Amino acid sequence: MNKYRLKLVHRKIRIIPIFILVLTAACSHLAEDHPTGIWLGKMETQQGICPHDRMAALRIDKKKILFSPDNGALVLTGIYHKKEHPRHFVAVLHRTDMDHKPYDLIFEGKAKDKNIIGTYGTPDCRATITFYRPHHYGLSNAIAH
């Protein structure tokens, strides 16, 4: 190979790491900028008894939020406001106990970097959850629309 071709190949090789860095930055979505989709996380009990052996799921659509603390046995619903900054997600399920007294199951979360950090609360449980995007979307229908 002549010197000109060697210089050309050398320049192309130097560009590859920069291209990979730019591509990686473009593909890594911050939760604040792109919260829609499926999010999964495990509960860390702060107080009381919480379901901790199953994955909690959060689905954020264009306007609706669905949260399930225990893989679909309960589904809390809420509304998502796209223009709200910082992002704030709230989902509620109204229930009644055996004595016909009403109580609420509440999820509240905020976008932080690439995750959504949330708190789940019931009369018997208080837990924090760090949600992450799964690497594959095989569970995309884990929570019904």
Side-chain angles (χ1 to χ4, degrees):
M1 284 181 121
N2 62 22
K3 289 182 182 182
Y4 176 74
R5 285 193 177 197
L6 284 174
K7 285 182 180 180
L8 186 62
V9 169
H10 184 65
R11 283 185 193 157
K12 287 182 181 179
I13 291 173
R14 285 192 317 198
I15 292 173
I16 291 172
I18 295 168
F19 177 73
I20 291 172
L21 182 64
V22 170
L23 185 63
T24 304
C27 291
S28 61
H29 297 298
L30 295 177
E32 180 70 25
D33 298 332
H34 303 283
T36 57
I38 299 291
W39 299 81
L40 299 176
K42 284 229 177 201
M43 285 196 214
E44 294 179 25
T45 303
Q46 301 295 316
Q47 181 179 1
I49 301 169
C50 301
H52 60 276
D53 58 339
R54 299 182 196 151
M55 294 297 286
L58 177 65
R59 181 179 187 133
I60 301 173
D61 290 329
K62 290 180 181 178
K63 293 183 180 180
K64 193 173 186 180
I65 300 166
L66 300 171
F67 168 74
S68 175
D70 52 0
N71 277 344
L74 296 170
V75 177
L76 287 67
T77 59
I79 297 173
Y80 163 59
H81 301 285
K82 283 179 116 175
K83 295 181 182 180
E84 187 178 65
H85 288 280
R87 304 284 189 210
H88 186 228
F89 311 101
V90 178
V92 178
L93 178 62
H94 303 289
R95 308 280 296 202
T96 55
D97 64 11
M98 299 290 279
D99 297 327
H100 303 288
K101 293 180 184 175
Y103 68 93
D104 291 332
L105 309 174
I106 300 172
F107 167 77
E108 182 177 8
K110 294 187 183 218
K112 184 176 180 188
D113 298 327
K114 291 184 180 183
N115 298 322
I116 294 178
I117 310 298
T119 304
Y120 171 63
T122 72
D124 301 325
C125 162
R126 181 170 175 81
T128 58
I129 308 164
T130 301
F131 287 100
Y132 62 91
R133 288 190 192 269
H135 294 293
H136 59 83
Y137 285 89
L139 297 174
S140 62
N141 292 320
I143 300 178
H145 294 271

